């Protein structure tokens, strides 16, 4: 009789261990199946040349209907400048865009000047001025007020 009672808890414990192992296995397989659909292909960052090439490959459109434009202006790729406050893209005629770095914001943006402002207290201000030197855009970054 002692043999029977001694084996019963072992059988119960073994059953629980098998159930736990199956539950973990099903969970891992399920997470892998769901995760592969969500994160299967990771996009690699593109270089400035790759972005320009992709943009040139797009058809020129105008208006909401997407009809081809007969008088599409020439594309201006601009030149990228990395600053502490973020990325500035400009050509000789104007600042095309300003993208703030993490912890920064664009406080102002005009054709030939802009301003990045940090999220700190007190905030750090960086003034961006556009110049054209020898037919090439240049940006000058100086601390602001």
């Amino acid at each position: 009789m002692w043999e029977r009672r001694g084996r019963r808890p072992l059988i119960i414990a073994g059953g629980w261990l098998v159930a736990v192992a199956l539950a973990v296995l099903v969970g891992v397989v399920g997470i892998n199946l769901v995760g592969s659909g969500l994160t299967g292909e990771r996009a690699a960052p593109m270089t400035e040349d790759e972005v320009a090439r992709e943009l040139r490959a797009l058809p020129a459109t105008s208006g909401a209907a997407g009809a081809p434009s007969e008088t599409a202006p020439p594309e201006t790729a601009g030149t990228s400048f990395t600053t502490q406050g973020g990325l500035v893209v400009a050509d000789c005629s104007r600042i095309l865009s300003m993208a703030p770095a993490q912890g920064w914001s664009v406080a102002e943006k005009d054709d030939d000047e802009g301003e990045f402002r940090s999220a700190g207290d007190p905030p750090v201000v960086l003034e961006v001025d556009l110049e054209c030197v020898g037919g090439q855009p240049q940006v000058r970054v100086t601390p602001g007020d």
Side-chain angles (χ1 to χ4, degrees):
M1 187 155 170
W2 280 103
E3 279 183 30
R4 266 182 137 183
R5 285 189 181 174
R7 288 177 38 195
R8 189 175 208 181
L10 289 176
I11 293 173
I12 292 172
W16 275 107
L17 289 174
V18 169
V20 167
L22 283 174
V24 169
L25 181 63
V26 167
V28 169
V29 168
I31 289 170
N32 283 336
L33 288 175
V34 171
S36 66
L38 297 176
T39 60
E41 290 185 29
R42 290 204 171 151
M46 297 175 72
T47 66
E48 185 177 338
D49 291 336
E50 290 171 330
V51 171
R53 193 172 31 251
E54 292 286 329
L55 288 173
R56 282 192 300 271
L58 293 174
T61 60
S62 94
S69 172
E70 294 177 15
T71 59
E75 287 188 34
T76 310
T79 303
S80 297
F81 302 93
T82 303
T83 72
Q84 180 184 359
L87 184 70
V88 178
V89 179
D91 59 20
C92 269
S93 64
R94 64 188 174 101
I95 294 175
L96 300 170
S97 67
M98 294 176 67
Q102 186 171 355
W104 292 79
S105 63
V106 176
E108 293 180 21
K109 181 192 155 306
D110 293 324
D111 283 345
D112 62 348
E113 60 187 19
E115 186 176 283
F116 288 113
R117 191 170 300 218
S118 74
D121 188 24
V124 174
V125 176
L126 295 177
E127 294 179 357
V128 177
D129 293 304
L130 173 65
E131 299 174 351
C132 189
V133 178
Q136 295 296 316
Q138 300 292 318
V139 295
R140 183 172 28 103
V141 180
T142 56
D145 297 329

